[in-house]
Amino acid sequence: MINKSAVFDIDKIRSDFPVLSCTVYGKKLVYFDNGATTQKPKQVINAITEAYSKYYSNIHRGVHALSDISSEKYESARERIRSFINASAKEEIVFTSGTTASINLVAFSFGERYISQGDEVLISELEHHANIVPWQMMCERKDAHLRVIPVNDDGTLHLEDLDHLITEKTKIVAVSQVSNALGVIVPVKEIIEKAHEKNIPVLVDGAQGIQHGHVDVRKLDCDFYVFSGHKVYGPTGIGVLYGKREWLEEMPPCQGGGDMVERVTFEKTTYNELPFKFEAGTVNFVGAIGLATALEYIEATGMDNIVRQEADLKVYADERIKATGGIRVYGNTQNKISIISFLIDKIHPYDAGLILDKMGIAVRTGSHCAQPIMARFGIDGTIRASLCFYNTREEIDILIAGIEKVKSMML
Ligand code: PMP
């Protein structure tokens, strides 16, 4: 498949991802569901196979050779993640099972330590349920209140409201770096600066940010940054919580068990040091090794190349979609990543998705686990095409032909 605009050897890139060459219903797969999860390069698949077939053994607990190798690979993976997001220290990188688990950890643990009756937590209207519900649960437990930054008609945040939404009662702000439902980029740096003026920490949900551009948690100066391995070309079941040491030191663990302890007696338990205090039980260390390999893959491909390729795809897809009659795009701003969320006339997104599927095109339909932002626009859901660097202009042409087919069948 030749993509004239590609900034790198797209055929070689695509050949790294085995799933991309499969067919569905006899049609070549067009995979535009990268917002939900990304495909895995063979380098990641091989790293996982190697871990299970050459040195698999539980970490941190053994004196034997295989346990040493597994432990060393796991801790090297932590170092790889640290350097990828430019955290100051490995102690600030906690492995979890994903973004959802990371946010739940912070909501529980930060809540236990710092939230009291009447306090406020500030999120935005475009959050994924994973960045709403854990805070809601914590607010219920603590008799605190959830406040919400509203969204403009183009899907951007109404930041003019920040000054009065951040009050002396606000204890933490939690916002997405990029909206999964609309693709809109959130000015998190500006929000962090405003919150820090009042000494309020900020959690950034990077589930849709980490794979689309350089992330430097020190430049960003966020207090917490969370992401999932599976959305950044790594394995499922592994994720990251970055937290500034000053917060993590103070926060209590939220799960008890092996590895997170220093000394256990029936009278009292003392906890392990960071980051192990937050890693109870056997963590998905093979997943961590796979994730580190995915980040190596990104570095070898070049994040700048990825950004350029995705920007080209976004412009092309935007042009073609907008030139197609009867389409309404949600998140209609230039400041977005290569996610296009749209509806075709009055056609239900689910019907459109089914027809596109029969043409081999994988898009996501529905509320994208972000019901409040759908309600904001008075809709139940959209069709979401989420593109990434291994996609091509030719695939966008296939999507456009698919949309025309949907229109011809349903209108
Ligand atoms: N936040 C955002 C912005 C997301 O896009 C997602 C996944 N769609 C999540 C949180 C939850 O991620 P996970 O299911 O991997 O925990």
Side-chain angles (χ1 to χ4, degrees):
M1 185 178 288
I2 309 255
N3 179 14
K4 295 250 167 19
S5 69
V7 292
F8 40 51
D9 185 347
I10 190 73
D11 287 339
K12 189 189 158 302
I13 293 279
R14 287 182 67 86
S15 71
D16 285 337
F17 293 81
V19 170
L20 295 183
S21 56
C22 80
T23 54
V24 280
Y25 310 114
K27 309 265 179 8
K28 219 167 164 184
L29 170 71
V30 173
Y31 188 74
F32 281 168
D33 197 17
N34 297 289
T37 197
T38 53
Q39 299 301 341
K40 318 303 165 200
K42 57 184 184 234
Q43 290 82 346
V44 169
I45 298 166
N46 292 345
I48 295 168
T49 306
E50 189 183 72
Y52 281 120
S53 49
K54 294 206 174 139
Y55 59 85
Y56 180 78
S57 176
N58 210 338
I59 52 168
H60 292 160
R61 293 166 196 184
V63 288
H64 60 84
L66 292 195
S67 180
D68 272 353
I69 299 172
S70 292
S71 304
E72 193 278 312
K73 297 259 187 197
Y74 177 60
E75 290 306 322
S76 305
R78 197 189 304 277
E79 170 55 25
R80 169 68 61 185
I81 280 98
R82 186 209 63 73
S83 83
F84 193 81
I85 61 172
N86 196 30
S88 309
K90 270 169 65 173
E91 288 73 19
E92 297 181 318
I93 306 297
V94 176
F95 283 114
T96 66
S97 62
T99 305
T100 303
S102 298
I103 298 174
N104 274 278
L105 191 164
V106 178
F108 180 86
S109 197
F110 186 93
E112 284 304 291
R113 175 71 179 79
Y114 295 105
I115 306 280
S116 321
Q117 187 183 31
D119 284 343
E120 294 177 359
V121 173
L122 182 61
I123 61 170
S124 91
E125 200 174 11
L126 50 66
E127 300 308 319
H128 186 281
H129 297 161
N131 202 27
I132 301 174
V133 185
W135 302 111
Q136 229 165 19
M137 289 162 69
M138 183 266 271
C139 284
E140 247 171 59
R141 226 173 35 246
K142 294 281 169 179
D143 202 9
H145 307 289
L146 199 62
R147 298 275 177 259
V148 182
I149 309 167
V151 157
N152 298 312
D153 288 344
D154 63 358
T156 56
L157 292 195
H158 195 258
L159 286 184
E160 292 75 11
D161 284 353
L162 255 194
D163 284 329
H164 76 261
L165 280 170
I166 298 181
T167 71
E168 69 283 357
K169 290 184 179 158
T170 312
K171 287 292 177 321
I172 189 165
V173 178
V175 282
S176 284
Q177 191 176 17
V178 173
S179 152
N180 70 306
L182 310 177
V184 173
I185 299 168
V186 174
V188 282
K189 178 87 184 131
E190 198 180 323
I191 295 172
I192 291 165
E193 279 166 9
K194 279 235 154 84
H196 281 183
E197 279 169 19
K198 297 185 180 165
N199 292 323
I200 299 160
V202 179
L203 176 142
V204 175
D205 173 354
Q208 301 289 343
I210 188 83
Q211 64 283 59
H212 296 296
H214 294 283
V215 170
D216 183 327
V217 290
R218 272 190 278 176
K219 264 201 199 134
L220 211 50
D221 200 22
C222 53
D223 299 273
F224 303 97
Y225 187 92
V226 299
F227 65 94
S228 300
H230 70 97
K231 290 183 198 280
V232 61
Y233 314 105
T236 35
I238 187 75
V240 171
L241 159 64
Y242 156 79
K244 281 185 184 165
R245 189 197 288 261
E246 66 215 66
W247 295 113
L248 295 182
E249 290 283 10
E250 289 295 314
M251 286 159 47
C254 71
Q255 285 195 318
D259 256 17
M260 53 75 73
V261 292
E262 182 190 52
R263 185 167 169 72
V264 181
T265 65
F266 288 119
E267 288 69 42
K268 185 172 170 57
T269 290
T270 51
Y271 303 130
N272 204 341
E273 58 197 15
L274 290 177
F276 311 112
K277 178 172 94 173
F278 292 108
E279 294 183 352
T282 299
V283 287
N284 182 3
F285 58 93
V286 177
I289 293 163
L291 172 56
T293 310
L295 301 185
E296 271 163 34
Y297 183 86
I298 289 175
E299 278 168 353
T301 306
M303 187 54 103
D304 288 337
N305 291 332
I306 289 174
V307 169
R308 269 200 299 277
Q309 171 75 352
E310 291 181 351
D312 177 76
L313 291 173
K314 181 190 78 168
V315 169
Y316 186 69
D318 260 357
E319 270 170 24
R320 296 247 30 214
I321 291 249
K322 281 179 184 157
T324 309
I327 303 266
R328 178 160 187 178
V329 173
Y330 292 85
N332 204 355
T333 166
Q334 286 308 306
N335 199 20
K336 58 193 282 193
I337 59 154
S338 47
I339 284 182
I340 302 143
S341 208
F342 61 97
L343 286 176
I344 311 168
D345 271 315
K346 296 200 170 14
I347 300 169
H348 196 281
Y350 187 67
D351 294 333
L354 280 179
I355 297 170
L356 292 173
D357 173 51
K358 292 288 177 293
M359 299 174 73
I361 305 164
V363 290
R364 190 140 294 243
T365 59
S367 68
H368 318 296
C369 291
Q371 287 172 13
I373 191 63
M374 296 294 128
R376 157 69 178 81
F377 290 113
I379 53 177
D380 292 334
T382 66
I383 305 160
R384 183 186 71 183
S386 48
L387 283 56
C388 76
F389 71 99
Y390 50 55
N391 291 125
T392 65
R393 286 184 172 206
E394 189 181 81
E395 289 181 312
I396 294 168
D397 294 339
I398 295 171
L399 173 67
I400 300 299
I403 292 172
E404 292 299 355
K405 173 104 176 176
V406 170
K407 281 164 47 180
S408 72
M409 287 175 74
M410 302 290 298
L411 293 176

